[in-house]
Amino acid sequence: MSASHYTVSDVMTHTAVAIGRDAPYKEIVALLDQWKVSALPVLEGEGRVVGVVSEADLLPKEEFRLEEPRPDEFAEAAKAGALRAGELMSSPAVTVHPDATLAEAARIMATRKVKRLPVVNGIGMLEGVVSRSDLLKVFLRTDGEIEEEIRRSILGESAAPAGLDVSVREGVATLHGALLERSLVPLLARAVRAVEGVVDVRMDLGAHEDAV
C-alpha cells in the first residue's frame, strides 16, 4: 500500500530572487522588503549558491548600534560592521535538493532553524527556493482530491482489503467498512496518513471500530 509523495520541486518557487557577494547592505534590505521574504541566496559564477543572507544576519547592525557586545556576542557583533552580502552571509548555505520530500525539507528547516531553503541541483546551482508556507501548500488540496488519491493508490491496490471506502472532511480521512484483520489497521492508517494533505485519520470499521 503506497501513496504518491510530493517533492520540493512540486511546491518551490522556481523564479527566486538572489544576490551576488557584492550586493550592498541597503540593497539587501530593500529586496527583502520588496519581495516580502526573510532571506536571499548569495550566488557566484553561473549561479552556484555560496551562502544566504537572512534578516538575522542584518539585525546586528541595529542591535549593536549603541550597545557594546558581551564576550559571547563578539562573533555576532562582527556582522554589525559588514557592508556587503559576502561579509553578511551565513556560509555554507543550508540547502535542499528538488527531489527531496516535503518531510525532509521540513526536518531541515526545523533542525537548522531557517524559514527558507535554496533549492540546488547536484552541482550546487540554484533552481528555486522553498519556504515554510510552500510546504503547507499540500493542505490546500481539496477533500475530493485526497479521497480520489486514497481510493486509487491505497484502496485500489490488489493487496488492499475488499469492501473499504473513504470519506474526507476538512482533511480528516475516515475509512469505512468491515475489516476482519485487525493487524491491518496500523498499516492502513500509516498509508492514509502518508497522503499529502491528510490532517488526521479515523477508522469506522463496524464491529472492529478503532480510533487512530
Side-chain angles (χ1 to χ4, degrees):
M1 300 175 188
S2 62
S4 61
H5 293 284
Y6 281 47
T7 64
V8 167
S9 62
D10 294 318
V11 301
M12 72 182 189
T13 301
H14 290 265
T15 304
V17 58
I19 53 177
R21 285 180 179 270
D22 292 331
Y25 185 98
K26 290 194 70 172
E27 178 184 320
I28 299 169
V29 174
L31 285 170
L32 291 176
D33 180 67
Q34 177 185 347
W35 293 93
K36 307 303 179 191
V37 295
S38 58
L40 295 170
V42 181
L43 311 181
E44 71 176 8
E46 297 299 313
R48 188 168 61 88
V49 178
V50 293
V52 172
V53 174
S54 69
E55 294 167 333
D57 295 315
L58 300 172
L59 280 177
K61 191 173 289 293
E62 184 63 31
E63 181 182 355
F64 299 108
R65 183 180 300 279
L66 300 176
E67 299 291 331
E68 288 295 322
R70 300 190 306 268
D72 61 341
E73 294 177 323
F74 285 158
E76 182 182 358
K79 289 191 176 182
L83 299 177
R84 299 191 179 275
E87 304 164 312
L88 290 159
M89 70 183 184
S90 298
S91 181
V94 181
T95 62
V96 68
H97 289 155
D99 58 355
T101 66
L102 303 193
E104 289 169 339
R107 196 171 298 116
I108 294 171
M109 288 183 185
T111 56
R112 301 302 294 270
K113 295 180 171 58
V114 295
K115 299 176 181 178
R116 294 165 61 82
L117 292 171
V119 182
V120 300
N121 62 19
I123 57 174
M125 306 292 280
L126 183 68
E127 293 198 355
V129 170
V130 66
S131 67
R132 290 175 177 176
S133 61
D134 290 328
L135 298 185
L136 295 175
K137 287 177 182 176
V138 292
F139 294 104
L140 297 177
R141 299 182 76 193
T142 67
D143 291 340
E145 289 175 319
I146 297 170
E147 278 185 15
E148 182 183 351
E149 179 171 345
I150 293 171
R151 287 195 183 102
R152 183 185 70 251
S153 64
I154 298 172
L155 302 183
E157 288 196 359
S158 57
L164 292 184
D165 197 12
V166 63
S167 61
V168 180
R169 298 292 180 270
E170 299 295 327
V172 177
T174 302
L175 289 182
H176 309 274
L179 186 64
L180 299 178
E181 298 180 63
R182 292 179 62 88
S183 62
L184 291 178
V185 170
L187 181 62
L188 281 166
R190 194 179 312 119
V192 172
R193 188 171 282 115
V195 173
E196 302 290 2
V198 169
V199 175
D200 200 2
V201 182
R202 295 285 183 265
M203 296 290 186
D204 181 8
L205 303 174
H208 300 281
E209 184 173 332
D210 286 271
V212 181

